[in-house]
Amino acid sequence: MMIRVAAVAVAVALNLASAGSAQSPRVRYQADARIDVAAGTIEVAATLHLPAHAAARDTIHLLLNRGLTIRELSGKGVGSHHAAPFDLVPSWNRIAIGLDEPVAPGTTRTVQIRYGGRLDLPPNGSNGVLPNRVELGLDSQWFPTPARLDHELEGELRVRLPQGWQVVASGGTVRPDGNDQVIRTEVPQIDVAFFATTELRQAKGKRFTVFYNRAADRTVAATLDAVESCVAYLDARFGSRNPFPGGQVVIADRPGTGYARKNYIVLSDAGLDSTRSLHNFACHEISHYWTSLTAAMTADYWLSETMAEYAAAMYLRERESQAAFDGRRAIWEEGGRSAGPVWTPAMTERQSSQVAYRRGPLLLARLEDRIGPEQFGRFLDGYLVQGIHTTAPLLDHLAAVAGEEQAAWFRAELARDPRS
């Protein structure tokens, strides 16, 4: 699940994590959102049940779009709060909430927050509150989430939109309730993401439903073929412990980028004409169901995008040919030359997108060449099936699978800077 934030050159993780979700701290929420599509504003009241891991000592840090004003913030043991710009994304604020005492391990702290206003959004971005479309998620940071982006959310959101609007959401079900649409997250997500418009049509496959309004029939059919074909391959290969539960694809009537959350994919008008590009993009995003984006701001983030990129290329090799795989490898070779080191034990922060999307997959290809498909498959299973989602233990797993010499080689390649 590539998550793309237009204001930054990185895809901020809304991973698509599933295999690692059992290890990820959960934020539980109940929320109501009132959306004025004519005015382009939102008003939200939310209750967040935050685990101890979400607090740093006696402070909780949440991210929220800087265009939104906090009307009220309360809760037992909750004191004052202040907002400051979030360094990585200029349109987001980091909200620091003071606590009367640290949150004890194994407990939660409940915060009630009411806020609203007009979102501060970059031009031509994916998210927006428009007269004909509402598209919200992490790209706009419309819903408060822990600032480390290392949690998954589950809960219920009640949305009020104009009569006749239809909603598609990540992670769960949508049901009408009077004038509201109720979204229940059943597959935990890194954010609360949904798409709403009028005249939303759908095409059903075996495990995916494609939602669209103006897309051509051939585009819809090609999209459904891509996601169904890819998920059949990935689920057979990696779904033994965590089978794919079914998902939704939205073909948004807009330019710009696409993105995904586990079993929820949003495609734009652009980039749907090339069959190979469509299959590669769709398979990368579906792969994120088995990767963990909850390490989004850490040095281990490379694993999520690198593994998704490589799984998509494996699918192209299986579906089309070795030449299709080699085409992806050529892209990795070219882009990887300008990337820095992928990972060292001393790294604490995420590296560039060139590292995650180019240098990392190239090193996986070289590793597969060295150890062969059988041992390489067992290595991939450590991440995509068994849920080893950080680099150091995955290297230990590689040593167990292919030997200490191969693990030492791979560790050295991860640390090597190709620019020097």
Side-chain angles (χ1 to χ4, degrees):
M1 137 226 125
M2 246 183 305
I3 301 316
R4 297 183 179 88
V5 177
V8 227
V10 295
V12 174
L14 312 149
N15 228 168
L16 309 169
S18 193
S21 60
Q23 302 171 357
S24 305
R26 298 281 172 79
V27 174
R28 291 177 170 79
Y29 68 88
Q30 300 87 38
D32 289 86
R34 299 294 178 259
I35 300 177
D36 187 331
V37 296
T41 59
I42 64 174
E43 293 291 331
V44 182
T47 299
L48 307 175
H49 304 283
L50 299 155
H53 183 64
R57 298 181 181 174
D58 57 356
T59 307
I60 292 173
H61 294 278
L62 301 177
L63 299 176
L64 189 65
N65 189 284
R66 71 178 183 183
L68 302 176
T69 300
I70 296 179
R71 321 280 194 209
E72 182 181 348
L73 197 152
S74 62
K76 184 178 179 181
V78 172
S80 61
H81 68 275
H82 69 273
F86 182 56
D87 292 341
L88 291 179
V89 188
S91 61
W92 298 0
N93 275 337
R94 185 184 181 100
I95 312 298
I97 304 170
L99 303 175
D100 60 356
E101 61 182 17
V103 183
T107 66
T108 61
R109 183 63 58 100
T110 299
V111 173
Q112 288 89 32
I113 181 170
R114 189 170 61 83
Y115 60 92
R118 184 188 298 271
L119 292 162
D120 185 335
L121 298 171
N124 301 320
S126 61
N127 278 203
V129 177
L130 305 171
N132 66 336
R133 171 176 61 88
V134 173
E135 188 174 353
L136 295 175
L138 185 64
D139 287 8
S140 59
Q141 196 52 45
W142 77 278
F143 193 84
T145 55
R148 288 185 294 193
L149 293 174
D150 60 352
H151 291 65
E152 291 180 325
L153 286 76
E154 58 183 5
E156 186 173 278
L157 169 67
R158 181 177 290 270
V159 181
R160 176 155 296 182
L161 287 159
Q163 187 173 4
W165 280 54
Q166 296 169 278
V167 176
V168 185
S170 66
T173 59
V174 180
R175 63 175 175 83
D177 185 10
N179 294 325
D180 298 340
Q181 298 285 333
V182 179
I183 300 169
R184 176 174 289 278
T185 302
E186 295 172 345
V187 176
Q189 307 282 317
I190 197 167
D191 68 340
V192 181
F194 67 93
F195 181 95
T197 189
T198 59
E199 301 179 18
L200 199 59
R201 296 183 286 170
Q202 57 182 273
K204 287 184 175 292
K206 182 178 180 181
R207 285 191 269 191
F208 269 101
T209 301
V210 176
F211 294 86
Y212 64 102
N213 50 13
R214 297 183 182 179
D217 289 345
R218 60 182 176 82
T219 299
V220 175
T223 301
L224 192 56
D225 175 68
V227 295
E228 290 289 348
S229 174
C230 174
V231 79
Y233 168 79
L234 291 176
D235 205 34
R237 179 66 184 77
F238 303 116
S240 59
R241 294 190 182 183
N242 192 23
F244 191 82
Q248 299 83 37
V249 177
V250 177
I251 302 177
D253 184 22
R254 59 166 176 77
T257 61
Y259 55 91
R261 309 290 188 269
K262 290 187 176 178
N263 59 337
Y264 171 78
I265 298 173
V266 180
L267 302 171
S268 67
D269 290 338
L272 297 182
D273 292 334
S274 165
T275 299
R276 181 175 293 179
S277 295
L278 174 58
H279 278 258
N280 182 73
F281 176 84
C283 214
H284 177 109
E285 301 302 349
I286 295 169
S287 299
H288 277 303
Y289 181 74
W290 291 277
T291 68
S292 175
L293 281 178
T294 51
M297 309 308 289
T298 74
D300 292 310
Y301 175 69
W302 74 275
L303 279 166
S304 176
E305 297 300 348
T306 289
M307 290 292 187
E309 183 72 7
Y310 205 81
M314 290 172 61
Y315 162 72
L316 290 180
R317 181 169 60 191
E318 176 77 12
R319 180 182 184 273
E320 295 187 28
S321 63
Q322 181 65 39
F325 179 90
D326 292 342
R328 296 304 304 169
R329 183 167 180 158
I331 292 172
W332 303 335
E333 290 270 10
E334 178 66 25
R337 295 191 186 105
S338 60
V342 176
W343 180 87
T344 71
M347 286 182 178
T348 58
E349 298 181 355
R350 61 184 285 162
Q351 303 305 299
S352 71
S353 58
Q354 288 295 96
V355 165
Y357 292 92
R358 299 294 182 258
R359 179 71 178 162
L362 176 61
L363 294 185
L364 287 187
R366 292 177 180 173
L367 178 64
E368 185 176 15
D369 291 342
R370 288 176 65 93
I371 66 178
E374 181 179 349
Q375 287 186 339
F376 183 75
R378 290 164 56 198
F379 167 66
L380 286 187
D381 285 353
Y383 183 86
L384 291 163
V385 179
Q386 298 173 32
I388 304 171
H389 281 150
T390 54
T391 309
L394 191 63
L395 289 171
D396 293 339
H397 174 68
L398 176 59
V401 166
E404 292 288 350
E405 181 179 347
Q406 299 293 356
W409 172 85
F410 192 60
R411 181 188 295 269
E413 285 298 300
L414 290 176
R416 187 170 68 85
D417 190 338
R419 300 168 299 184
S420 58

